[in-house]
Amino acid sequence: MPRVVVDVMPKPEILDPQGKAVLGALPRLGFTGVSEIRQGKRFELEVAATDEATLAEIDRLAETFLANTVIENYTVRVEQA
Amino acid sequence: MKVGVVTFPGTLDDVDAQRAVRIGGNEAVALWHGDHDLRGVDAVILPGGFSYGDYLRCGAISRFAPVMTEVIAAARAGMPVLGICNGFQILVESHLLPGGLIRNDHRRFVCRDQRLRIENAATPWTSAYRQGQEIVVPLKNGEGRYVADAETIAWLEGEGRVVARYLEVNPNGSTNDIAGIANEAGNVVGLMPHPEHAVEELTGSGVDGLGFFTSLVERAFA
């Protein structure tokens, strides 16, 4: 069954305290060279088909529910099996 | 007046809100998230808590609860609606109020007695206060940081839509120390601190929160 992935990220201008917390832990763990981390959400949707109408509906679903477009951006893509 | 208090799965402060409504001189009516029914109320309170476990985003799932269809329609028609804490989050997710509420800038849950200044005493929820009056009420949130784009902030400030502002300490990093806002008509108010926990001397930080619940009566008999 085809899978559609919706990625939701805090908008660039919105502070991301979770990403900052993860970044802050890196030096303690001995990881260097990472200068920025932003944390988002990934939704995996199993669908019957990935035709234009289905993707349009998923876009509407992402815009109205999965993401709050006041504070977040989202992308929709079909994951190739 | 009959004031509905909505209970969602995970709501915590509905009983305190109902009690505050009664102490404020109004009749409290319990409303259930799963009913398409406002039971003839004159105003609605969306209380605090962690509705739907804060899954997806705070307030994001509650916003689509059956009762919210009626609450949103009534709010657009002018019914007074007050969202406290999680209720404020539900109001921004419903787009009844602009902006968003995100995780506190210091990343910790905050719980304190918070000093506020009432910046707009002309809403149906704040008319018992004086413009500029300072009050202390409990505050408790993990995702209470109010954010909005510059244009929205300028509109809120320019039109006097900031209802309450944090004094002394900004507890969560909110833009311009904003603790509460109103919509354009003024009937919909969102507030991050908890006036319903400050309505009796026996418990809480005093009775400074009572005005949010007596304002409706003053309005009804004005």
Side-chain angles (χ1 to χ4, degrees):
Chain A
M1 191 160 276
R3 172 179 288 175
V4 176
V5 174
V6 179
D7 286 310
V8 177
M9 291 298 292
K11 285 186 175 178
E13 66 271 24
I14 301 276
L15 177 78
D16 172 23
Q18 293 187 105
K20 264 176 66 181
V22 175
L23 181 69
L26 295 190
R28 264 202 317 280
L29 302 174
F31 294 104
T32 55
V34 178
S35 60
E36 177 75 29
I37 295 182
R38 295 182 68 75
Q39 179 178 326
K41 298 189 187 90
R42 171 188 165 110
F43 300 87
E44 298 179 346
L45 290 70
E46 308 294 329
V47 291
T50 56
D51 55 283
E52 207 169 302
T54 305
L55 291 178
E57 186 160 281
I58 290 175
D59 192 84
R60 201 165 56 81
L61 162 71
E63 196 193 348
T64 53
F65 189 45
L66 299 183
N68 176 352
T69 55
V70 175
I71 53 175
E72 295 169 322
N73 293 325
Y74 69 90
T75 58
V76 177
R77 65 191 156 85
V78 178
E79 191 168 77
Q80 303 304 333
Chain B
M1 289 179 87
K2 289 166 77 171
V3 182
V5 177
V6 180
T7 300
F8 298 91
T11 295
L12 296 180
D13 299 327
D14 45 345
V15 176
D16 275 31
Q18 289 172 23
R19 188 173 169 77
V21 164
R22 286 193 296 271
I23 293 171
N26 294 289
E27 181 187 343
V29 177
L31 299 178
W32 183 242
H33 71 101
D35 294 339
H36 278 288
D37 188 1
L38 294 185
R39 299 178 63 188
V41 298
D42 307 298
V44 169
I45 294 176
L46 304 179
F50 298 87
S51 59
Y52 292 91
D54 279 352
Y55 292 167
L56 186 58
R57 291 176 309 278
C58 304
I61 299 178
S62 311
R63 174 252 176 281
F64 291 102
V67 76
M68 286 305 296
T69 310
E70 279 68 32
V71 171
I72 290 168
R76 294 212 168 110
M79 181 183 281
V81 175
L82 173 65
I84 303 169
C85 196
N86 189 216
F88 188 5
Q89 294 163 338
I90 295 168
L91 290 177
V92 296
E93 283 286 342
S94 304
H95 306 298
L96 287 172
L97 292 173
L101 290 151
I102 64 169
R103 196 169 297 268
N104 299 346
D105 58 351
H106 48 74
R107 310 194 291 254
R108 290 180 300 278
F109 194 92
V110 60
C111 187
R112 66 193 310 274
D113 292 341
Q114 176 71 45
R115 183 169 291 276
L116 306 173
R117 185 169 57 232
I118 302 296
E119 301 277 26
N120 180 341
T123 80
W125 299 100
T126 53
S127 59
Y129 297 103
R130 287 186 329 279
Q131 189 87 19
Q133 186 173 345
E134 295 187 12
I135 64 170
V136 175
V137 298
L139 171 101
K140 43 170 194 168
N141 67 68
E143 305 195 28
R145 180 172 191 237
Y146 183 76
V147 294
D149 59 45
E151 195 183 325
T152 302
I153 296 293
W155 177 80
L156 288 168
E157 296 286 359
E159 299 293 319
R161 299 294 101 186
V162 176
V163 169
R165 210 183 296 273
Y166 299 120
L167 294 181
E168 295 168 1
V169 172
N170 182 332
N172 45 33
S174 284
T175 307
N176 288 19
D177 302 330
I178 289 171
I181 59 172
N183 65 344
E184 190 165 10
N187 62 305
V188 180
V189 170
L191 188 71
M192 196 37 65
H194 289 265
E196 80 281 17
H197 295 330
V199 295
E200 286 179 295
E201 289 291 356
L202 181 63
T203 56
S205 56
V207 295
D208 285 1
L210 197 52
F212 279 89
F213 306 96
T214 58
S215 292
L216 289 170
V217 181
E218 297 191 2
R219 181 168 177 264
F221 294 103

